[in-house]
Amino acid sequence: MMVDQPTRGESETIAFVLGGGGLRGAAEVGMIKALAEADICPDLVVGTSIGAINGAVVASGSLPEMARRLEGMWGELTARGVLRESVFSRVANIVRHRTHLHTNDAMRKLLLDWLPVKSFEEMAVPFQCSAACVELSSEWWFDSGPLIDAVLSSCAVPGLLPPVEVNGRHFIDGGVVNSIPISRALELGASTIYVLHVGNIDAPLRVPRNAWDVAFVAFEISRRHRFHSDMEDLPEGVTLHVLPTGLDGHSKFNDPSKLRYNHSASIRAGIDRAYEETVKYLTAPAAVGP
């Protein structure tokens, strides 16, 4: 999907916007791989939740190198999982902390192992990630200082991971307030935006049948509402590319009950599918304009 198409020029500012969506964020890896091969590099990167992890890697160095690093990171995630603590550990966490099933330990180790920089100031490309601030009940953007806690804040899915404390405030998953942060890219002056997302933006939702479905459907409504509102309010002269995941039209992915947060079996397929579809999109005449 492409919206608007102004003439390209030297003043163009390209932004990558990476949305949230758990392990379905594997699709963003395929998109990044295709963008790198097409030599489409960002001038700024913004991300939320899993998009904050992917975006932090992308903004850390040259795009071709970071695309390879990102694919390697997801390969490790597939092999060992990040949220695969035993049932005993999860029950212990609930008993001890009462608010979450998992600790941040595995996610922190993953970031320490794969992020080549440790602060926003070391980034090769300007990067920001969002979280929801509990005390302020508002959207919060991290753009300076230590990187790991900022990214963990953006990924702190309520009920699954604990809130992250930074400078006396507590933060939870940025997807609660802005899951596909097009608006932030516009605020930062983007004139061309590539939206990397997890798919099913327009797929029909069904009425929830269990507790997981309730949470999933509520999140999906919030995610899609903000996205479509931002699309409707897109300023004149801005080019926006919504990259394809290859999931839309695959009926089994339209069922929220099949999108378990710790199900990693389809990660490789998700990367490859999004890569193939994004390559097709980027090489189509409409994607590059006249």
Side-chain angles (χ1 to χ4, degrees):
M1 180 192 304
M2 182 179 71
V3 180
D4 203 3
Q5 183 64 61
T7 303
R8 289 178 176 269
E10 293 182 2
S11 61
E12 180 185 35
T13 299
I14 296 176
F16 287 2
V17 172
L18 294 94
L23 293 187
R24 293 179 298 159
E28 297 174 356
V29 181
M31 296 171 184
I32 289 295
K33 183 178 177 181
L35 288 164
E37 290 181 0
D39 198 27
I40 299 173
C41 300
D43 299 302
L44 66 98
V45 178
V46 295
T48 295
S49 195
I50 194 66
I53 294 179
N54 291 338
V57 175
V58 165
S60 296
S62 70
L63 189 60
E65 179 185 352
M66 292 304 106
R68 291 190 292 271
R69 178 180 285 266
L70 194 60
E71 196 166 11
M73 184 187 77
W74 277 81
E76 179 179 330
L77 189 154
T78 303
R80 66 179 178 84
V82 170
L83 300 179
R84 286 187 178 175
E85 294 175 278
S86 67
V87 172
F88 176 81
S89 295
R90 281 180 274 177
V91 171
N93 284 335
I94 284 290
V95 171
R96 185 182 304 115
H97 304 291
R98 296 182 294 178
T99 60
H100 51 272
L101 287 173
H102 303 278
T103 68
N104 275 324
D105 295 345
M107 188 74 76
R108 184 180 295 276
K109 184 179 187 307
L110 186 78
L111 295 175
L112 288 170
D113 287 346
W114 287 96
L115 278 175
V117 301
K118 298 300 181 287
S119 71
F120 285 87
E121 288 74 16
E122 296 174 83
M123 289 290 190
V125 176
F127 169 71
Q128 297 188 11
C129 63
S130 70
C133 180
V134 175
E135 286 82 3
L136 299 177
S137 302
S138 66
E139 183 176 333
W140 183 278
W141 283 91
F142 291 95
D143 61 1
S144 63
L147 182 61
I148 302 296
D149 280 346
V151 174
L152 287 175
S153 296
S154 187
C155 300
V157 181
L160 298 183
L161 293 166
V164 177
E165 183 176 357
V166 179
N167 295 329
R169 291 187 172 129
H170 296 82
F171 298 92
I172 60 174
D173 195 296
V176 172
V177 287
N178 197 349
S179 184
I180 306 177
I182 295 170
S183 57
R184 187 62 172 182
L186 292 170
E187 290 173 11
L188 295 173
S191 57
T192 299
I193 299 174
Y194 289 86
V195 176
L196 294 79
H197 61 105
V198 301
N200 293 332
I201 292 173
D202 297 309
L205 293 171
R206 73 176 191 188
V207 175
R209 298 179 183 177
N210 53 52
W212 171 257
D213 281 359
V214 169
F216 182 90
V217 170
F219 172 77
E220 279 296 292
I221 291 172
S222 173
R223 177 174 80 102
R224 298 180 191 193
H225 172 75
R226 180 72 182 262
F227 170 76
H228 289 298
S229 295
D230 285 348
M231 292 282 285
E232 291 172 2
D233 295 335
L234 198 67
E236 184 177 353
V238 172
T239 304
L240 188 141
H241 299 272
V242 181
L243 300 181
T245 63
L247 293 185
D248 301 281
H250 294 258
S251 59
K252 68 178 182 178
F253 290 100
N254 295 344
D255 180 355
S257 68
K258 297 183 184 297
L259 299 172
R260 304 304 182 187
Y261 72 91
N262 62 351
H263 183 257
S264 60
S266 61
I267 285 178
R268 184 70 254 174
I271 293 173
D272 292 342
R273 186 183 298 112
Y275 167 75
E276 292 167 4
E277 294 300 315
T278 300
V279 167
K280 293 177 185 177
Y281 173 87
L282 294 175
T283 55
V288 295

